[in-house]
Amino acid sequence: DTEVTQTPKHLVMGMTNKKSLKCEQHMGHRAMYWYKQKAKKPPELMFVYSYEKLSINESVPSRFSPECPNSSLLNLHLHALQPEDSALYLCASSQDNRDETQYFGPGTRLLVL
Amino acid sequence: SQKIEQNSEALNIQEGKTATLTCNYTNYSPAYLQWYRQDPGRGPVFLLLIRENEKEKRKERLKVTFDTTLKQSLFHITASQPADSATYLCALNSGGYQKVTFGTGTKLQVIP
């Protein structure tokens, strides 16, 4: 199984809402990533978890809160977002053994009103 | 400042020809460089990884070269097909092994 799944596919939320994005992989990968991608731009790294510990936070605003409950799951909790946070949010995973091939999910399309 | 630039925002080629995409970087010393394909509304799909001590890698119709002196990678698709039409992204590790920064991307259109 080489699939990374993400739910929901689409999400519309108001600036006062709290929502969560979910990501799951069953490849036994020990590193998981969150990226943000705006239209016609490349993905930008937000967070990296390695062995369920947060290893990289790219100075992301605190309205984005990541969580890694176990090695297969990654969440991104959203609170008090701004319209400029509207984007495609991509989850990825990799082996974390210096073979850094990343497997991406299909993404969650987020619209903040 | 650090930059990863892919020379063409868009590239149109005739079916059957070889597509050559360029990735140039400044102020990075990557241990590896990767190429991904991304279709509209989908996540990137890994194609090839080349390490700093490798000059060339091949996989079926794909070839990647890596010149750390020129700070450049070339990505070739031979015998291109309309199904190869997509955006191609280069990516390199930009601080530690897991921190990956993507290039600006090249949208390839293969014309039948």
Side-chain angles (χ1 to χ4, degrees):
Chain A
D1 183 3
T2 59
E3 192 179 21
V4 175
T5 58
Q6 290 187 244
T7 55
K9 286 190 175 13
H10 301 275
L11 180 62
V12 180
M13 60 186 290
M15 289 190 283
T16 58
N17 293 157
K18 284 186 184 179
K19 297 285 184 184
S20 296
L21 309 184
K22 294 186 186 303
C23 173
E24 193 166 4
Q25 58 87 15
H26 294 288
M27 293 179 276
H29 289 172
R30 303 314 298 265
M32 296 186 77
Y33 308 73
W34 280 115
Y35 288 86
K36 173 183 177 179
Q37 187 174 26
K38 303 280 273 185
K40 298 190 187 300
K41 296 289 186 186
E44 293 179 3
L45 185 65
M46 300 175 70
F47 302 104
V48 181
Y49 273 84
S50 180
Y51 290 85
E52 299 158 49
K53 288 188 168 45
L54 183 65
S55 59
I56 296 176
N57 176 343
E58 287 290 275
S59 303
V60 179
S62 60
R63 57 185 185 269
F64 295 91
S65 175
E67 179 196 18
C68 189
N70 60 57
S71 59
S72 300
L73 291 174
L74 186 66
N75 298 322
L76 186 63
H77 303 296
L78 314 174
H79 174 52
L81 293 195
Q82 304 296 310
E84 58 265 28
D85 296 322
S86 300
L88 181 68
Y89 287 84
L90 293 161
C91 173
S93 68
S94 70
Q95 292 272 14
D96 197 23
N97 61 355
R98 299 181 76 83
D99 175 6
E100 295 310 326
T101 301
Q102 294 190 24
Y103 294 82
F104 283 82
T108 293
R109 178 76 59 188
L110 174 67
L111 178 62
V112 181
L113 301 175
Chain B
S1 64
Q2 294 178 313
K3 285 184 195 175
I4 307 172
E5 292 178 315
Q6 295 184 239
N7 65 331
S8 303
E9 195 173 311
L11 179 65
N12 294 332
I13 65 162
Q14 211 67 34
E15 182 176 4
K17 300 290 187 188
T18 296
T20 298
L21 285 63
T22 304
C23 176
N24 295 293
Y25 59 92
T26 53
N27 293 322
Y28 287 103
S29 297
Y32 63 83
L33 189 144
Q34 303 178 34
W35 285 88
Y36 288 82
R37 168 188 173 137
Q38 188 172 25
D39 291 286
R42 309 284 298 269
V45 174
F46 170 78
L47 297 173
L48 281 167
L49 180 150
I50 188 164
R51 300 189 188 279
E52 60 181 331
N53 60 347
E54 297 174 318
K55 295 288 186 193
E56 182 179 300
K57 215 65 168 301
R58 290 176 188 260
K59 180 182 172 184
E60 297 170 355
R61 294 185 295 114
L62 309 180
K63 184 176 90 170
V64 172
T65 62
F66 193 13
D67 188 326
T68 54
T69 303
L70 289 179
K71 296 188 183 293
Q72 181 181 78
S73 175
L74 299 179
F75 177 77
H76 307 272
I77 306 174
T78 57
S80 59
Q81 303 165 1
D84 295 325
S85 299
T87 294
Y88 290 85
L89 298 157
C90 67
L92 51 82
N93 70 306
S94 49
Y97 229 73
Q98 292 172 329
K99 184 175 172 180
V100 170
T101 301
F102 282 84
T104 47
T106 295
K107 186 173 181 180
L108 175 68
Q109 183 81 23
V110 180
I111 303 162

